[in-house]
Amino acid sequence: MLKQKTTVLFIIASIILVTHAWGLDFQEGRYEITSTIKMPGMSPPPTTITRCLTKQAPLPDQSTAGPNCKVIDMNTQANTVTWKMECDESGQKMRGSGKMVYHGDRFEGTVDNVIMAPEGNMTVNTTIKGKRVGPCQ
C-alpha cells in the first residue's frame, strides 16, 4: 500500500513539475483527467478526476507534491514536454521520466517510474489523458 501511495505522489509531482511551460497549446477550463497505472502484480483500475485547470495551474493539486522531488532534465519542444526526475520520499527512492503532449482542449502523456526498494526495483508505467469538458465553474 505504501508503494502505491508513493507512486501516486510521484506521478502527481512529475506532472506538476513539468507543467511550467505555459506557452503550450492549452485551453483553460474544466478537465476530466484519467490516469492508468500498470505495475507488476498489481494494475489498479483507471482513476478519473475532474478539475478546473488554468494556464497558471494546469494541474491544481500542487500541495500534494512532496518537496523531495527534483527535475534533473527537462525539455519543451512545441507542445511536448519531456523530463527526468528523482524523488526521495521518506527513504523511498524513485527515478522516472515522462512525456506530455498538449493539443488545445486535451492532453496525453506517459510517466515511467522505477521505485528502488530493498526487495528489488519495481517499474510503474502510467498513462495520463485529459480532455476539456467545459468552462470552470
Side-chain angles (χ1 to χ4, degrees):
M1 188 61 128
L2 176 62
K3 282 186 183 180
Q4 190 173 13
K5 286 181 183 178
T6 303
T7 301
V8 170
L9 282 175
F10 182 71
I11 292 163
I12 292 169
S14 297
I15 296 168
I16 290 165
L17 290 171
V18 301
T19 55
H20 77 288
W22 311 133
L24 298 172
D25 180 17
F26 172 78
Q27 293 179 13
E28 294 181 323
R30 190 165 179 81
Y31 277 76
E32 183 178 89
I33 303 164
T34 301
S35 299
T36 305
I37 299 172
K38 295 191 188 265
M39 64 181 85
M42 183 184 342
S43 292
T47 302
T48 300
I49 61 171
T50 304
R51 295 283 191 268
C52 180
L53 305 181
T54 66
K55 290 188 179 192
Q56 293 76 29
L59 292 170
D61 296 328
Q62 296 184 10
S63 63
T64 61
N68 301 319
C69 293
K70 64 180 180 175
V71 174
I72 55 175
D73 183 28
M74 181 184 308
N75 294 295
T76 303
Q77 187 170 22
N79 289 319
T80 302
V81 179
T82 58
W83 70 95
K84 292 181 184 173
M85 187 171 170
E86 292 180 347
C87 290
D88 186 347
E89 292 291 335
S90 303
Q92 183 76 57
K93 295 184 185 294
M94 293 172 280
R95 289 190 183 157
S97 62
K99 177 180 178 179
M100 295 290 284
V101 181
Y102 293 82
H103 307 282
D105 63 350
R106 60 188 170 85
F107 58 88
E108 72 246 355
T110 57
V111 179
D112 299 315
N113 304 314
V114 176
I115 300 171
M116 292 162 268
E119 60 273 6
N121 294 348
M122 179 171 54
T123 301
V124 179
N125 305 103
T126 304
T127 303
I128 302 162
K129 293 183 179 188
K131 65 179 178 180
R132 188 175 186 276
V133 293
C136 294
Q137 299 174 344

